[in-house]
Amino acid sequence: MNLHSLNQKPMNTSQRLRPLLLSVLVVAACLQVGPAPAQEPAASTAAPSTAAANAAAPGDMPADANGTRALDTQIQDLKKDVVDLNKDLFVLEEELLFPANTQVAVFVSVDVGDFFALDSITLKIDNHDVTNYLYTPREVAALLKGGVQRLYVGNLKAGEHELVAFFNGKGPHDRNYKRGANLKFEKGVGAKYLELKVTDHAHAQEPEFEIKDWE
């Protein structure tokens, strides 16, 4: 995860809403556009000759096929516009719900394999439960490959706070394992990012749990 991108100053609401509203209008206009209704062929005063009917080259594309291909292209472009619009709306929603001056985010990284298998994490901030996350085997595999998960995002006022994390899983010899870690941190002006790190301690032959403050 790129920390520099997380620290970029968000645009204000009016700046973000203008292009989004324009995109909505474009999508709505595209949805109202449909294929032109078929028209009755004009009556011919004379029957076409056999030679004229066979004059078309074998490789010529019928007009209706060209129209179908153009319509498919428009539909694909419209789908892409909708996906991009959803991404922009998601980012805008997060900026409105979690402003940069009060935002706190907690991430998880795992570098284990011999002494601990992660099952769940319980998170408390200032003695209040904020999340209890149960991992699937697929999510654990992604973390073991170097992935970083955003476990929690919320709002905190400026001042001193305490984060407590409980890690549940399988320890050495396939025994149930539960350990905790805590960190007191200062929330100032601007977003605060914290990381829960799970690593193997080869000398002690047991896992280590650490909370890192990204200052």
Side-chain angles (χ1 to χ4, degrees):
M1 178 166 295
N2 192 334
L3 184 57
H4 295 290
S5 64
L6 290 172
N7 290 328
Q8 289 180 354
K9 183 177 180 181
M11 300 171 63
N12 60 49
T13 304
S14 62
Q15 289 175 320
R16 297 301 303 273
L17 281 177
R18 280 195 292 270
L20 290 177
L21 291 175
L22 179 60
S23 299
V24 171
L25 293 176
V26 171
V27 171
C30 292
L31 289 174
Q32 293 175 357
V33 174
Q39 297 181 353
E40 292 294 332
S44 176
T45 57
S49 65
T50 304
N54 296 329
D60 287 347
M61 180 69 69
D64 56 346
N66 285 330
T68 301
R69 177 176 295 181
L71 182 59
D72 289 341
T73 301
Q74 292 178 4
I75 291 175
Q76 295 303 320
D77 291 340
L78 180 58
K79 288 181 179 180
K80 182 179 182 301
D81 291 339
V82 171
V83 171
D84 293 339
L85 178 61
N86 285 337
K87 291 179 181 178
D88 291 339
L89 289 173
F90 177 77
V91 173
L92 178 60
E93 180 184 15
E94 288 218 331
E95 290 177 359
L96 294 175
L97 293 176
F98 311 109
N101 60 331
T102 61
Q103 183 183 125
V104 58
V106 181
F107 299 86
V108 177
S109 66
V110 174
D111 185 15
V112 295
D114 295 329
F115 308 117
F116 185 69
L118 181 63
D119 182 54
S120 67
I121 294 179
T122 300
L123 204 62
K124 293 186 175 185
I125 296 181
D126 297 335
N127 207 32
H128 295 288
D129 291 339
V130 294
T131 188
N132 186 8
Y133 196 89
L134 181 63
Y135 289 89
T136 65
R138 184 175 180 180
E139 290 171 329
V140 173
L143 289 172
L144 291 174
K145 291 179 180 178
V148 177
Q149 175 205 13
R150 189 177 71 173
L151 179 65
Y152 170 77
V153 60
N155 295 306
L156 282 180
K157 63 181 181 180
E160 185 175 291
H161 302 274
E162 183 179 22
L163 172 69
V164 178
F166 295 99
F167 303 85
N168 302 281
K170 294 290 184 179
H173 309 294
D174 201 33
R175 294 177 300 181
N176 291 330
Y177 204 91
K178 182 176 181 178
R179 289 291 185 274
N182 70 295
L183 175 70
K184 291 185 177 181
F185 62 94
E186 186 75 20
K187 175 68 174 68
V189 178
K192 169 66 71 174
Y193 303 108
L194 305 170
E195 180 185 3
L196 309 180
K197 300 184 66 175
V198 186
T199 58
D200 274 344
H201 193 298
H203 181 70
Q205 294 190 348
E206 64 180 20
E208 285 189 333
F209 305 94
E210 176 188 2
I211 302 177
K212 181 179 179 181
D213 188 348
W214 292 358
E215 296 183 357

